[in-house]
Amino acid sequence: MKIRVISIPVQDQEKALQFYTEKLDFVKKVDVPLSESNRWLIVVSREEQEGVEILLEPAPNHFEPAKIYRKALFDAGIPWTQFHTDNVQLEYERLINLGVEFSVKPTEMGTVKIAVFDDTCGNNIQIVEML
């Protein structure tokens, strides 16, 4: 068994695509219309384009339990997912210069260094560096 796709719920797919490609430097891999307002929208790491894919999935706003859960995670500062980086400090500085807002600045926690940012689409995302 392998991990091929992870899903990140987003409030606006177009806004998410812009953030994930322009700020995080991911690459759009798949963009297939599913309905008038939804797409099968996949981005991947520029460095590992055949690696794990991220589905920027429309948030299920019509399903109240999911909406409540996402908001509770965000309000509590809990990351939806995390991405690996070789240097959290450098990535933090690059993203700050692009206007990305962080709720947790680079912080060492045992064998890792982490930082947490707002993806502007309803999620906190954590970046992690193994020390």
Side-chain angles (χ1 to χ4, degrees):
M1 197 176 307
K2 297 178 183 179
I3 298 171
R4 177 58 54 207
V5 179
I6 65 166
S7 179
I8 297 178
V10 298
Q11 296 163 333
D12 179 319
Q13 284 185 301
E14 188 57 37
K15 181 179 179 182
L17 179 60
Q18 290 174 2
F19 181 85
Y20 279 77
T21 57
E22 295 174 12
K23 305 286 186 181
L24 301 186
D25 200 33
F26 290 156
V27 176
K28 179 171 68 171
K29 183 172 184 176
V30 178
D31 190 353
V32 177
L34 298 176
S35 68
E36 192 172 299
S37 60
N38 294 328
R39 300 144 66 178
W40 186 259
L41 185 55
I42 299 276
V43 296
V44 293
S45 167
R46 184 172 300 281
E47 292 83 20
E48 292 184 7
Q49 294 186 28
E50 297 306 315
V52 175
E53 301 173 345
I54 300 170
L55 171 62
L56 299 176
E57 186 168 13
N61 288 326
H62 61 284
F63 185 58
E64 197 62 25
K67 188 176 179 180
I68 292 168
Y69 176 68
R70 284 185 68 238
K71 183 174 179 350
L73 279 179
F74 186 83
D75 291 347
I78 298 172
W80 183 267
T81 194
Q82 64 184 16
F83 302 139
H84 173 79
T85 182
D86 291 331
N87 190 314
V88 164
Q89 186 65 42
L90 287 177
E91 192 65 18
Y92 168 80
E93 291 169 9
R94 183 185 78 79
L95 292 172
I96 283 287
N97 288 333
L98 291 171
V100 175
E101 295 182 18
F102 280 77
S103 58
V104 177
K105 294 178 181 178
T107 304
E108 286 191 22
M109 301 180 86
T111 61
V112 298
K113 183 183 281 190
I114 64 138
V116 179
F117 64 85
D118 177 350
D119 77 350
T120 73
C121 305
N123 306 293
N124 291 305
I125 305 293
Q126 180 170 279
I127 53 176
V128 178
E129 170 189 351
M130 303 304 291
L131 300 174

